[in-house]
Amino acid sequence: MRNLTLLCLLLFSPFTIKAITLKWVDEVDRCAYRIDTQKKIIEKEIKPDIWQEIGNIHLINIDEKEILPSNNIIGLTPSNKNIRYLLVDCTNQVYQFDFKLLNFQRIDKTYYRGYNCQSVRFIRKDILL
């Protein structure tokens, strides 16, 4: 019985690593994409709930503990159509994904957890506002 209790504690421990999946609808090709940070892959939704793997990604400056899994992801496209800015709602975190190089990186150092959920974000003259 003691071994079973210990096993349950280990399985439900806060130290278990969970994959973080960032999912967004792309404004350019109107498809849903998702990035799995543990498997290091990006997938494209080809039919409802049917995902096709695009490739393996490279994580740069990514700390999975900083990404909150319940947040909405806003995807914005600058003039370079290979790049997407992925903004994590409510945190002001900004990530960049390069479809050509398959690089996923964090490009800010924000630790803010505030009140601006669902605020409007946009790009003007390649500046994120």
Side-chain angles (χ1 to χ4, degrees):
M1 184 67 180
R2 198 163 73 175
N3 289 340
L4 180 61
T5 304
L6 182 61
L7 178 63
C8 288
L9 285 174
L10 288 174
L11 289 175
F12 297 110
S13 166
F15 300 110
T16 57
I17 297 174
K18 294 182 179 180
I20 300 297
T21 303
L22 292 99
K23 181 180 173 183
W24 77 97
V25 176
D26 194 67
E27 63 183 12
V28 174
D29 60 6
R30 306 268 189 230
C31 291
Y33 289 93
R34 70 179 178 191
I35 292 175
D36 186 322
T37 59
Q38 193 169 33
K39 292 179 185 176
K40 297 181 182 179
I41 60 171
I42 182 166
E43 298 173 306
K44 180 179 183 177
E45 188 175 37
I46 54 174
K47 292 181 181 176
D49 292 325
I50 298 175
W51 295 88
Q52 178 183 20
E53 185 176 324
I54 295 174
N56 294 322
I57 62 173
H58 310 284
L59 301 179
I60 302 168
N61 297 326
I62 303 293
D63 184 1
E64 291 180 86
K65 295 177 289 192
E66 290 292 316
I67 303 172
L68 303 176
S70 62
N71 283 316
N72 293 327
I73 306 298
I74 296 104
L76 298 175
T77 306
S79 61
N80 181 348
K81 300 301 181 196
N82 291 322
I83 301 292
R84 299 298 184 275
Y85 292 128
L86 304 177
L87 307 148
V88 181
D89 200 24
C90 302
T91 67
N92 288 338
Q93 294 175 351
V94 181
Y95 294 87
Q96 178 178 296
F97 184 75
D98 187 330
F99 277 97
K100 188 175 181 180
L101 301 174
L102 296 180
N103 288 337
F104 179 57
Q105 66 180 341
R106 184 162 180 192
I107 58 174
D108 75 312
K109 295 183 181 184
T110 304
Y111 184 76
Y112 184 71
R113 307 289 189 271
Y115 57 87
N116 55 352
C117 300
Q118 300 177 352
S119 62
V120 177
R121 296 157 184 105
F122 58 93
I123 295 176
R124 183 172 191 278
K125 296 184 180 181
D126 278 341
I127 297 173
L128 185 62
L129 302 169

